[in-house]
């Protein structure tokens, strides 16, 4: 087990490992998948009924409305509800489709995972930005990351121990500061990051 997740609960460990794996597989920003996973906060086997008659299922609270199209591949709600990384893969696949095909900026598209209704999307989007920013910092500490918006980018290196200490000892921001931070993260300022598993060996 990687040392940087050893102190997490089993559910949090699964969330981090599965979210990063799914993000790499579907080539979408890992911090966004981690942020959605944190926001959804589901658990294996969990079913939550929605007012429209659908259910949000499993760790990623995958909506059963999307399973209608996936049924032809033999994918069922029980598959999504099961423990393990499969539900994260489906969620990353869905996020990729939103990011590639939907209208709006990156955050609005990613928030479509929750709802396309503007008022619900806006609330989800604001919190998603904050969580994704936090996870971007976490990824910078623990992984070599790449700026996917630039060709021939030099990978960032994980922070050195003194820098890790500095990041982890920061005091939590006030709610007003968090909101200001969310408002300042426009799509033009946001830099999507991918994880590099290449080595010089």
């Amino acid at each position: 087990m990687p040392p940087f997740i050893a102190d997490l609960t089993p559910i949090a460990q699964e969330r981090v490992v599965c979210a990063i794996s799914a993000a790499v597989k579907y080539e979408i920003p890992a911090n966004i998948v981690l942020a959605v996973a944190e926001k959804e906060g589901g658990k294996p086997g969990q079913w939550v009924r929605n007012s429209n008659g659908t259910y949000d299922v499993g760790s990623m609270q995958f909506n059963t409305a999307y399973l209608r199209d996936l049924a032809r591949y033999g994918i069922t709600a029980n598959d999504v509800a099961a423990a393990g990384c499969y539900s994260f893969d489906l969620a990353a696949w869905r996020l990729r489709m939103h990011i590639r095909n939907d209208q709006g900026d990156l955050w609005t598209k990613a928030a479509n995972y929750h709802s396309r209704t503007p008022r619900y999307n806006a609330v989800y989007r604001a919190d998603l930005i904050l969580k994704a920013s936090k996870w971007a910092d976490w990824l910078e500490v623990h992984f070599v990351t790449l700026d996917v918006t630039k060709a021939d980018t030099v990978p960032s290196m994980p922070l050195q121990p003194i820098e890790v200490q500095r990041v982890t000892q920061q005091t939590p921001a006030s709610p007003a500061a968090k909101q200001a931070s969310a408002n300042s993260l426009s799509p033009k300022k946001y830099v999507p990051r991918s994880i590099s598993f290449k080595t010089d060996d």
Side-chain angles (χ1 to χ4, degrees):
M1 176 186 307
F4 51 83
I5 65 167
D7 58 342
L8 299 177
T9 66
I11 289 176
Q13 288 176 13
E14 179 178 280
R15 186 181 295 163
V16 168
V17 170
C18 292
I20 291 172
S21 173
V24 170
K25 186 182 296 184
Y26 286 94
E27 300 178 331
I28 58 176
N31 61 318
I32 291 180
V33 181
L34 284 161
V36 170
E38 182 182 355
K39 278 199 63 57
E40 294 300 325
K43 297 176 183 176
Q46 184 177 23
W47 290 65
V48 177
R49 184 177 173 82
N50 297 310
S51 59
N52 63 1
T54 64
Y55 288 85
D56 293 332
V57 181
S59 298
M60 291 295 282
Q61 293 292 279
F62 194 90
N63 191 278
T64 53
Y66 288 91
L67 292 175
R68 293 179 198 129
D69 291 335
L70 297 174
R72 62 184 164 187
Y73 303 109
I75 299 170
T76 69
N78 288 332
D79 297 323
V80 180
C85 290
Y86 191 63
S87 63
F88 291 83
D89 285 353
L90 286 176
W93 164 79
R94 209 176 111 194
L95 279 165
R96 178 180 169 135
M97 294 302 102
H98 287 307
I99 290 169
R100 286 189 167 189
N101 302 325
D102 293 357
Q103 298 296 314
D105 63 30
L106 174 67
W107 300 108
T108 300
K109 292 176 181 183
N112 283 345
Y113 184 90
H114 173 69
S115 177
R116 285 189 169 97
T117 303
R119 63 188 170 124
Y120 299 130
N121 181 287
V123 172
Y124 193 93
R125 178 187 183 278
D127 194 39
L128 186 67
I129 290 171
L130 293 174
K131 285 180 170 45
S133 178
K134 175 192 76 175
W135 281 111
D137 292 343
W138 186 89
L139 289 167
E140 287 285 337
V141 170
H142 298 294
F143 290 90
V144 174
T145 62
L146 299 171
D147 179 346
V148 298
T149 63
K150 299 176 184 172
D152 302 322
T153 302
V154 176
S156 71
M157 299 308 294
L159 298 176
Q160 298 303 313
I162 188 70
E163 295 172 294
V164 172
Q165 185 179 12
R166 204 175 299 131
V167 169
T168 57
Q169 289 181 348
Q170 290 177 349
T171 55
S174 67
K178 287 182 179 179
Q179 187 59 45
S181 175
N183 293 339
S184 68
L185 285 173
S186 71
K188 291 180 182 176
K189 293 180 183 176
Y190 172 69
V191 179
R193 308 294 285 189
S194 70
I195 296 171
S196 172
F197 291 99
K198 295 179 181 178
T199 64
D200 294 331
D201 298 339

